[in-house]
Amino acid sequence: MDDDEEDLQIFQAALDHISSTVKYNYFTDARKALNELRLGSLTTQAIFLDLNMPLMNGHEFLAQLKQEEKLKEIPVIIFTTSSDSSIREMTISMGAVDFLTKPNDFKDLIALLKPFIF
């Protein structure tokens, strides 16, 4: 989930480079994504979540997701421009499984994402 269309395109290109079989959905509105997950019309093995989003930020999304019995086990990987260790610690304590700072280089992005593609 990310509200920046350019970041989404780069992320998708990296996923496509890593695996031609990986399936993904993206949302620019965390509220809509949470609703789709609650309704069961969207299932996922993992969520890559930006923290800086309008309407519902990543912290709010993570907190609400982890309160949902049927959704709380979905692994959430924070994927943001921040490298602040206090924000990292807070999101991990909220239930995120990892915290990744968005790299500036496409090759670095591929290397960063490879371990998460299953």
Side-chain angles (χ1 to χ4, degrees):
M1 236 175 298
D2 200 317
D3 65 321
D4 186 309
E5 289 289 335
E6 186 176 334
D7 282 353
L8 284 170
Q9 290 173 356
I10 293 167
F11 189 87
Q12 290 173 357
L15 289 178
D16 290 341
H17 182 82
I18 294 167
S19 171
S20 61
T21 61
V22 68
K23 294 180 183 177
Y24 52 85
N25 294 295
Y26 66 89
F27 289 86
T28 57
D29 182 342
R31 297 171 312 162
K32 183 174 180 179
L34 188 59
N35 188 52
E36 296 287 324
L37 289 164
R38 284 176 172 153
L39 292 173
S41 55
L42 174 67
T43 59
T44 185
Q45 293 180 326
I47 296 171
F48 286 86
L49 177 64
D50 187 19
L51 295 177
N52 302 314
M53 299 191 27
L55 306 174
M56 174 187 278
N57 68 40
H59 293 104
E60 295 166 327
F61 176 88
L62 181 60
Q64 289 190 33
L65 182 84
K66 294 303 178 179
Q67 290 177 8
E68 299 280 334
E69 192 61 37
K70 65 181 184 174
L71 305 175
K72 68 182 181 181
E73 298 303 320
I74 299 171
V76 176
I77 300 102
I78 303 301
F79 189 67
T80 188
T81 56
S82 175
S83 59
D84 186 318
S85 62
S86 64
I87 294 173
R88 180 187 196 288
E89 290 172 18
M90 180 175 62
T91 57
I92 297 295
S93 72
M94 292 174 67
V97 297
D98 211 335
F99 185 99
L100 307 175
T101 301
K102 293 178 182 178
N104 292 323
D105 183 79
F106 187 70
K107 289 181 184 177
D108 291 341
L109 176 59
I110 290 169
L112 196 63
L113 294 179
K114 265 188 182 178
F116 296 97
I117 306 306
F118 18 85

